[in-house]
Amino acid sequence: MRRVVVVFWMSFLPLLLAADCQEIIYGLPDGFSAEELISHIVQIDAQGNSEAECLLRFYEKTYVSPAPFSLHAQYYYNHRANQAVRRSVFDTAFHYVKLALRCDSLLSDTFYLSSDLGVLGNIHLAKGDFEKAIEFLEQSINLLDAQKHPAVALSNLSNLGVAYLKTQYFETAMQYFKQALEHGEYATTPYAARSRSVVRLNIGIIHKKQENYRQAVQVFQALLDTAQLQDYPYLSYLSHFNVAQVYRELKDKEAFQNHLDTAWVLAQGHQFGQHYLLAESIDYAYEQQDWKKLRRYLEDYRAYYEEEGLECDPDWAIWNSRLRLFEEQQPKAALALLTEGINCGEFYTTATLEMYELRSEAYQQLGKYKQALDDMLISKKLADSLVRRSNRRILSDMTTSYRVGQYQKMLQQQEKEKVWLLKRASYNKRIAFGLGIIMVLFFFLFYFYRQKMQYKKEALEARQQQLEALSKMRHEELARHKHRLLKQSVQSNQLRARILDICGRYRRNTSMLVRKVEMAFREEPVWEDFLLDFNQNYPGFIDNMLRKYPDISKRQLQYIVLIALGFNNQEISEMLFVTLSGVEKAKIRLAQQLSIEDKKKLSRKIRSLFFQFTQRTGEEPL
């Protein structure tokens, strides 16, 4: 009956799972692209959601199988490799990374190659091959545009810092952790905040390793608050454990025990790994010579040792040999444990040094002093070698840290130069654009100004033609007036001569008769008609002259009109029936009347006033 049930479930379970998977696939939003789907898978897989595997199979069938070496396939291989690293299935991880790298060779963007090299570095980091991990992670960082992909930069720089931390290159590790935090501030992925917290935890561990205990405590205490805010119990567990180690070094037993107990509660409540807690508890129990606790912790460590299937663990040999030597007084059992530990472990380690020292103690308890001396000499040479190695490592760490710092400064300088070049290009574009706008505006202004000048020129030419026509007409009219006045003047002179001649013949008092005749001619209404015509042709001149100079006589006004019209002294004398000397005297008196000091300037002044007064009325002087 049991066999029938098993066969039934084995037959129908895949069908049930397939039905559930179909429901999950149908639950996806419409129009879900490949990029959106793989991002969704990565997010739910990090949360431990069981739907991730179903969606990964659907993604593989839909996007990877039709094109096994494409961008969509690279997404799939990269995620599978990361998934295998988390599960410590390194062969599978290598397989998927190789497939992803084949896809990278067909893609132009170096980001994908950088991402896969980062995964390859993480595989070696998880396997404990730190030199290869450093090599691949550095290659990944060199190919990555950290400004464009800050989340990937945060991950790779953090892992590179861990690799250097594992090799005890503390200064170099600190450099990379600081760079990781700088780029991580711009990361917006869901787990970026947790990644930054882990980086700060590693910085605190470096402070602890370098015995900067005050700074280490500050970092770990701050992380305890952060873990509570982020609901991140694993970070809280690690922080309690590390701050407990710091308080142990500071000889604060109460604080050490409180934080260690809290770490135990978190580890047991959330099923975290307890190896480090056991190691710390065993060391502390031995330090306090609490053999009861030491036995209990060693039993727990044995269970872990057997569960993990470890073939060689120097720490187990050291702790058990201490118990056998100093509590149970069993040097032979301790000697067997130590010999096994020395043979299976690496030579140049502090654990091997301690095992040689403990084996020398075991030989002394057994009375084998020659072997004890040999182990003591070996431990001395090993200690000297470790000191030299430590010094070389410190020197190499300082050199590497300096190189990383210089490289970072160079990258920052290049970034500044790049930003400056972009700004300069932007400024040049703006200047060119502004100059272009100015040139266009200048062109339009020049065009409109030229059009305006053209219109003005045409208006002036039309006005000039109009004025020339008017001037010509006025000249002709003035010539007619002048000719008529001259003709009348000639006729009057001839008539006066005849009358005077007749009077001379028939009258005795001829001088009196001449004066009367001349007065008659002077009062002839010819001037009245002329002035009337003049005022019609040049309105405003006579009125303005009388307004400006109210004391001008009628006779002086006649002189002013004739001078304004351009008559010379000879013509004025003929028209006004006076001699040339009389005209000169009349001009002198007129100059005094008009407040003109020099008589020679009289004609110019009258012409100027004639131009001024006729301009006010819109007329053009002749």
Side-chain angles (χ1 to χ4, degrees), residues 322-333:
R322 285 174 178 172
L323 183 63
R324 300 292 187 272
L325 282 173
F326 304 116
E327 170 63 15
E328 297 177 356
Q329 302 297 321
Q330 297 179 7
K332 289 185 178 181

Side-chain angles (χ1 to χ4, degrees), residues 149-206:
H149 305 284
V152 180
L154 169 63
S155 175
N156 288 349
L157 287 168
S158 175
N159 291 332
L160 185 57
V162 171
Y164 275 109
L165 177 60
K166 293 293 185 180
T167 54
Q168 298 185 2
Y169 279 55
F170 301 130
E171 292 297 330
T172 306
M174 182 69 79
Q175 290 277 356
Y176 282 114
F177 285 139
K178 289 180 178 179
Q179 291 180 35
L181 288 179
E182 289 177 5
H183 294 294
E185 293 298 327
Y186 303 99
T188 57
T189 55
Y191 294 95
R194 290 192 173 188
S195 299
R196 289 193 293 268
S197 299
V198 173
V199 173
R200 294 189 181 95
L201 177 71
N202 287 320
I203 291 174
I205 292 172
I206 292 176

Side-chain angles (χ1 to χ4, degrees), residues 58 74 97 145 163 182 206 229 231 320 390 420 429 444 461 477 518 553 560 575 592 595 597 613:
F58 170 72
Q74 192 274 341
V97 166
D145 185 353
E182 289 177 5
I206 292 176
L229 291 173
D231 191 18
N320 274 282
S390 177
W420 180 79
K429 287 181 180 179
F444 278 108
E461 289 178 353
E477 185 178 355
E518 289 178 351
S553 63
I560 290 172
M575 294 184 67
Q592 294 174 353
S595 302
E597 297 179 357
F613 293 146

Side-chain angles (χ1 to χ4, degrees), residues 531 541 545-546 549-564 576 585-594 602 606:
L531 291 176
F541 176 69
M545 287 298 296
L546 292 175
Y549 304 102
D551 296 334
I552 295 175
S553 63
K554 185 178 181 181
R555 188 65 172 177
Q556 289 176 334
L557 187 60
Q558 292 175 356
Y559 277 100
I560 290 172
V561 169
L562 293 175
I563 292 171
L576 296 181
K585 292 177 181 178
K587 282 188 173 183
I588 292 172
R589 290 193 296 271
L590 183 58
Q592 294 174 353
Q593 186 73 23
L594 298 180
L602 178 64
I606 292 175

Side-chain angles (χ1 to χ4, degrees), residues 217 220-221 238-248 259:
V217 169
F220 294 135
Q221 292 290 355
L238 293 176
S239 300
H240 278 294
F241 172 69
N242 282 283
V243 78
Q245 289 183 319
V246 174
Y247 281 124
R248 180 183 171 189
H259 285 285

Side-chain angles (χ1 to χ4, degrees), residues 245-264:
Q245 289 183 319
V246 174
Y247 281 124
R248 180 183 171 189
E249 295 296 332
L250 294 173
K251 309 300 181 184
D252 190 341
K253 296 181 180 180
E254 183 179 357
F256 163 76
Q257 196 63 53
N258 289 335
H259 285 285
L260 190 66
D261 291 343
T262 306
W264 271 109

Side-chain angles (χ1 to χ4, degrees), residues 544 611-619:
N544 285 316
F611 175 78
Q612 178 182 350
F613 293 146
T614 53
Q615 281 294 310
R616 290 181 181 177
T617 57
E619 298 292 342

